[in-house]
Amino acid sequence: MAVNIYDTANQLEQELRETKEFKELKAAYATMHENQSAFDLFKQFQEIQMQLSQKQMNGEELTDDEVSKAHDLADQVGNVDEIKALMGKERNLNQLMNDLNQIITKPVQELYAN
């Protein structure tokens, strides 16, 4: 019997939506979104992270001003309870996804272990 790994992946995607970790992240995001200033700050923080990551991937140097701005935003984000809660839930979901990734990549790890 042939295995359609994409069917399995699609099933996993649906099951991920039903996990406690995802549901808690979704609820934390909704709570954070209700606080407009927290949501705006979060979006600004995401944007600066994306810009800095893009520059680094392109081999560009980050300016002192960019680094300072990122640190300032990180400090602000760290002082907003709704964002802190969201980031905690992100960590929980990321741990679950890391665990799943280890399971999924086990055949490759075993192959290279020999």
Side-chain angles (χ1 to χ4, degrees):
M1 170 170 80
V3 175
N4 185 340
I5 201 159
Y6 292 101
D7 288 342
T8 304
N10 286 318
Q11 180 66 33
L12 181 59
E13 179 255 340
Q14 290 300 315
E15 290 178 15
L16 181 65
R17 291 175 187 273
E18 298 302 318
T19 64
K20 174 184 76 114
E21 292 84 355
F22 181 79
K23 288 178 179 180
E24 288 177 351
L25 176 63
K26 188 175 180 180
Y29 184 82
T31 298
M32 190 252 329
H33 197 275
E34 291 173 4
N35 178 339
Q36 191 62 49
S37 63
F39 182 71
D40 291 344
L41 183 62
F42 177 74
K43 287 299 184 182
Q44 188 178 5
F45 184 65
Q46 279 186 315
E47 181 66 29
I48 198 91
Q49 283 184 313
M50 193 170 32
Q51 289 172 358
L52 297 181
S53 292
Q54 188 64 43
K55 281 187 80 168
Q56 287 179 318
M57 286 190 308
N58 290 337
E60 299 175 40
E61 290 288 323
L62 302 180
T63 66
D64 290 340
D65 185 50
E66 289 170 326
V67 172
S68 177
K69 185 175 180 181
H71 283 297
D72 289 345
L73 270 175
D75 288 342
Q76 291 176 47
V77 162
N79 291 324
V80 179
D81 290 339
E82 293 90 344
I83 299 175
K84 286 193 302 190
L86 176 71
M87 290 181 164
K89 300 305 179 187
E90 278 182 358
R91 279 190 296 278
N92 294 343
L93 183 62
N94 282 334
Q95 181 59 54
L96 174 63
M97 293 181 71
N98 285 337
D99 293 347
L100 293 172
N101 189 48
Q102 286 181 347
I103 294 166
I104 292 167
T105 60
K106 188 174 182 177
V108 176
Q109 293 170 6
E110 290 174 350
L111 176 69
Y112 288 130
N114 295 326

